[in-house]
Amino acid sequence: MDMNLADVKTIESQPSVPPGTQKGSSPDSESEIARLRTQVESLEKEVTRLKTQIEDDAIELQATVDEFVLAKSEVERAKADLERANQVKSAFLASMSHELRTPLNAIINFTRFVALGVQGPVNEKQASTLNEVIDSSRHLLTLINDVLDMSKIESGSLNLLFDDNVDLKPIVESVMSTAKGLTGEKSIELRAKIADDLPAIRADRQRVFQILLNIMSNACKFTEKGHVELRANRQGDEVVFVIEDTGVGIEPEDQAAVFEAFRQTASGLRQGGGTGLGMPISRSLAEAHGGRMWLESEPKKGSRFYVALPAQPPDQAKLPVTRMLKGGSHE
Amino acid sequence: MNSQPNILYVEDEPRSRTVMEMVATYLELPGMTIFEDSTDFLARAEAVEPRPDLVLLDIHLKPHNGFEMLSMLRQSPRFQGVPIVAMTASVMNEEVDQLRTAGFDGCLAKPIDMMTFGDTLDLIVRGENVWRIFS
Ligand SMILES: Nc1ncnc2c1ncn2[C@@H]1O[C@H](COP(=O)(O)OP(=O)(O)OP(=O)(O)O)[C@@H](O)[C@H]1O
Ligand SMILES: [Mg+2]
């Protein structure tokens, strides 16, 4: 571009052509030349302007590229940090689980051994104190399990142990018998209604038990009088459980929070105890079965919790792939 | 089960061994052999009389870990067809995945439940795979 301009200039700077020797050396052609010259000059200016602008743009672009490269390496570093942190976290949780369970194994079983009277007679008072120790230890174990479950769910590494043809009746029965111990002195009628045509389903037995027990224990916790009823019915290709209580109920604006980790409603907090993990874990477990969980509630009247599990979970319900600590160490 | 199963339990942690001794007393399991891991582990395991109907292995052991002991036992003619189950407090998903992949016949989480332990052993001896990963 520069070259062409220079050429134009050279031609123009030779105006001294002898008159008459050139065709069209009339006043007309002279004004034409003048016009062309101004045009060329303004073009020249425009080109210079564009040139500086391009140079400025190039500098700016380079700065942007530099920034981008820097940002990219920062993102990469952050990603590596995050992966490392995730690995550390999961190794920490695995080791915490191990370290806490080992002494609990001794506490629970040593105490039970004495309470059972194997080492000599235990009077009623002593037996009941020892059973308190066992209950508290089992409670501690539940908390450990809940926190670990929550972190598995968070990291997408919750795996279910599916079995085919899981009979739900014995699961419901053992939930009911465990729940009996949770009503304490309260006058609550506990009842279960299991449909005769309930199909055997593909499910993780212990997790189904865990979901139902979590809901039942809330129902017993938040109900002072009336009933807590567990119903199980077949609906199409699903089994639907309904746990109905006549307790304090949940305000409409609080209903979503019930399924959020560590959230408790005002009544939940008043009740004291609990970590607010039972419901979010239960819902995630139901979803890992390819199912759903929801609630209906009227304040001061009671609540109904629903769990729908497909008889045959879709293949993706073998969900979710283990992401953390692949090939991790066992030492 | 008509007669009680003979069980071999390998465990390094002294309190966990005591727990198992108590469980054996309570459930009246006379055929319970318990020992620590050692360099001559396989020879000692093969010398146990009568032959165990079931082997319970802790995982975090020295000098061998549970995975190494599993493959040693699997290669031993004496332990062909004997169920081998992990008895561990390490029950995060990744760890259980590894137990399954390694070929354990099941896993019992610590703490063990003394009240249901006998039934669980019966299931395993009858050939069921039991993955009781939380209690
Ligand atoms: N049946 C119910 N009636 C009234 N409120 C309920 C009921 N079930 C749950 N909630 C409310 O939802 C909150 C969350 O329940 P969730 O089971 O997750 O936690 P929690 O029972 O408080 O503690 P955790 O189950 O972890 O011991 C409860 O604190 C309570 O406020
Ligand atoms: Mg709860």
Side-chain angles (χ1 to χ4, degrees), chain A residues 98 101 152 157 206 322 330, chain B residues 90 93 97-98 110 134:
Chain A
H98 180 90
R101 281 163 174 277
K152 286 181 206 169
S157 69
Q206 287 199 68
T322 306
H330 271 268
Chain B
S90 298
N93 287 321
D97 279 354
Q98 284 166 343
K110 289 178 198 164
F134 70 105

Side-chain angles (χ1 to χ4, degrees), chain A residues 146 218-219 221-222 245 248-250 258 263-265 267-268 273-280 303 305:
Chain A
D146 278 358
N218 281 349
K221 184 157 71 169
F222 296 106
D245 69 52
V248 293
I250 304 162
V258 168
R263 288 284 294 274
Q264 293 174 298
T265 65
S267 58
T275 41
L277 288 177
M279 292 303 98
S303 310
F305 281 79

Side-chain angles (χ1 to χ4, degrees), chain A residues 94 98 101-102 105 109-110 112-113 116 141 145 152 157-159 161 206 210 322 324 328 330-331, chain B residues 13 19 22 26 60 62 65 89-90 92-94 97-98 100 110-112 114-115 131-132 134-135:
Chain A
H98 180 90
R101 281 163 174 277
T102 304
N105 185 35
N109 286 300
F110 286 3
R112 179 151 278 155
F113 199 64
L116 286 168
L141 184 61
N145 287 336
K152 286 181 206 169
S157 69
L158 178 86
N159 291 340
L161 297 169
Q206 287 199 68
Q210 191 182 353
T322 306
M324 291 152 73
H330 271 268
E331 286 312 310
Chain B
E13 210 254 326
V19 165
M22 288 177 168
Y26 176 65
H60 298 248
K62 281 195 168 70
N65 65 34
S90 298
M92 293 292 279
N93 287 321
E94 313 72 33
D97 279 354
Q98 284 166 343
R100 296 190 140 203
K110 289 178 198 164
I112 59 175
M114 203 185 271
M115 311 315 275
W131 294 88
R132 199 139 298 167
F134 70 105
S135 43

Side-chain angles (χ1 to χ4, degrees), chain B residues 54-116:
Chain B
L54 163 64
V55 181
L56 300 172
L57 297 180
D58 186 21
I59 297 300
H60 298 248
L61 295 172
K62 281 195 168 70
H64 314 96
N65 65 34
F67 293 91
E68 290 164 341
M69 290 194 295
L70 173 73
S71 70
M72 287 159 81
L73 292 174
R74 289 278 192 242
Q75 280 161 37
S76 157
R78 191 168 161 83
F79 283 92
Q80 291 314 298
V82 177
I84 301 173
V85 170
M87 263 277 309
T88 175
S90 298
V91 287
M92 293 292 279
N93 287 321
E94 313 72 33
E95 298 167 306
V96 175
D97 279 354
Q98 284 166 343
L99 295 174
R100 296 190 140 203
T101 315
F104 276 96
D105 294 307
C107 168
L108 299 179
K110 289 178 198 164
I112 59 175
D113 184 351
M114 203 185 271
M115 311 315 275
T116 59

Side-chain angles (χ1 to χ4, degrees), chain A residues 214-233:
Chain A
N214 277 343
I215 302 175
M216 282 296 286
S217 64
N218 281 349
C220 295
K221 184 157 71 169
F222 296 106
T223 304
E224 285 308 315
K225 57 181 198 301
H227 68 257
V228 170
E229 182 172 277
L230 194 169
R231 297 191 288 271
N233 290 297

Side-chain angles (χ1 to χ4, degrees), chain A residues 99-120:
Chain A
E99 296 307 325
L100 294 175
R101 281 163 174 277
T102 304
L104 271 177
N105 185 35
I107 296 170
I108 293 174
N109 286 300
F110 286 3
T111 312
R112 179 151 278 155
F113 199 64
V114 178
L116 286 168
V118 187
Q119 292 180 321

